Amino acid sequence: MKRKMLGIWAGLLLFAAPVHAREEAPVVRVFVDGEQVIFEHPPILEQGTTLVPFRAISEKLGFEVAYRVENGEQSVTAAKGGETVTMYIGNRIANSAEGRVLLEQAPRIEHDLAYVPLRFLAEAMHVEVEWDGEQTAVRLHTQAPADGGAPPEEKEPEEKAADPEPEAAGP
C-alpha cells in the first residue's frame, strides 16, 4: 500500500512541476537605406548576434554571391568592388580584406539557407550598421546622405494590391 501511495505522489509531483514556456525570440527587422528587407525566413537573434539569410541580404546590398562545397567544407562568399568576404558554415573563422577574423557566431544552415552574422558581413563590405534595440531593428546604410544629414526615414513594406481592371477606352 505504501508503494502504491508513493507512486501516486511521485506521479502527482511530476505533473505539478512548474512548466517554463519557451520564450520567443524577438523578431528582428532589417532595413537597407530605409527600406525594410522582407526575408522568406526571418533573421535569428542569438546571444547578441543577428544572423540573416546570406543570399537575400547580400543580393539586396548589391554583392555577387557564391556558394561552394570543397572537401566537405561549405563556404559562402560575397564580393563587390574588389572586396571579398568568405565565411565557412559551422566555423567561426572568416576571411576578409582584414585577413582571418574570429566571428561571434558561426554561419549555419537553417531552412536550407546559409545564415551569417549580419554585422560582420556588412562592416567587412564597408556598409554602416546601426542597431536599434528599442525597435529590435538593424539599419544598414550603404551610402552617406548627400546632405550629410540623417539617413532616410524607414519605409514599412507595402502590401501589393491586385492589379486593377484596365479602364475601357472611351468613344
Side-chain angles (χ1 to χ4, degrees):
M1 179 70 172
K2 287 184 181 183
R3 282 189 180 180
K4 188 174 183 182
M5 288 300 290
L6 183 60
I8 291 172
W9 279 107
L12 288 173
L13 287 175
L14 285 176
F15 287 110
V19 176
H20 297 285
R22 183 176 174 199
E23 187 174 318
E24 290 293 320
V27 175
V28 177
R29 298 181 307 153
V30 177
F31 294 86
V32 173
D33 294 329
E35 182 180 332
Q36 186 172 355
V37 179
I38 303 301
F39 296 98
E40 182 178 342
H41 295 282
I44 299 168
L45 182 59
E46 184 172 280
Q47 298 176 358
T49 299
T50 301
L51 299 158
V52 295
F54 172 73
R55 181 174 298 278
I57 196 63
S58 294
E59 289 178 348
K60 182 70 176 175
L61 291 168
F63 305 157
E64 293 180 30
V65 299
Y67 173 79
R68 290 186 178 78
V69 178
E70 291 181 22
N71 300 323
E73 183 175 65
Q74 302 171 66
S75 66
V76 292
T77 300
K80 183 177 183 179
E83 296 286 334
T84 302
V85 173
T86 302
M87 292 174 275
Y88 304 91
I89 304 302
N91 189 334
R92 290 181 49 206
I93 302 294
N95 294 320
S96 72
E98 310 301 316
R100 294 176 63 140
V101 177
L102 181 64
L103 304 172
E104 293 290 325
Q105 295 287 328
R108 65 181 190 230
I109 302 295
E110 293 279 335
H111 311 288
D112 291 327
L113 301 171
Y115 273 72
V116 299
L118 177 58
R119 180 175 294 276
F120 169 75
L121 174 64
E123 289 180 347
M125 297 298 282
H126 309 290
V127 173
E128 182 184 331
V129 179
E130 177 187 350
W131 169 251
D132 180 346
E134 190 173 304
Q135 298 292 318
T136 319
V138 179
R139 293 185 186 85
L140 304 175
H141 308 289
T142 60
Q143 55 197 10
D147 63 2
E153 292 294 316
E154 294 175 356
K155 296 178 218 166
E156 293 290 334
E158 295 179 13
E159 295 283 331
K160 290 187 177 182
D163 289 335
E165 295 277 331
E167 293 183 21

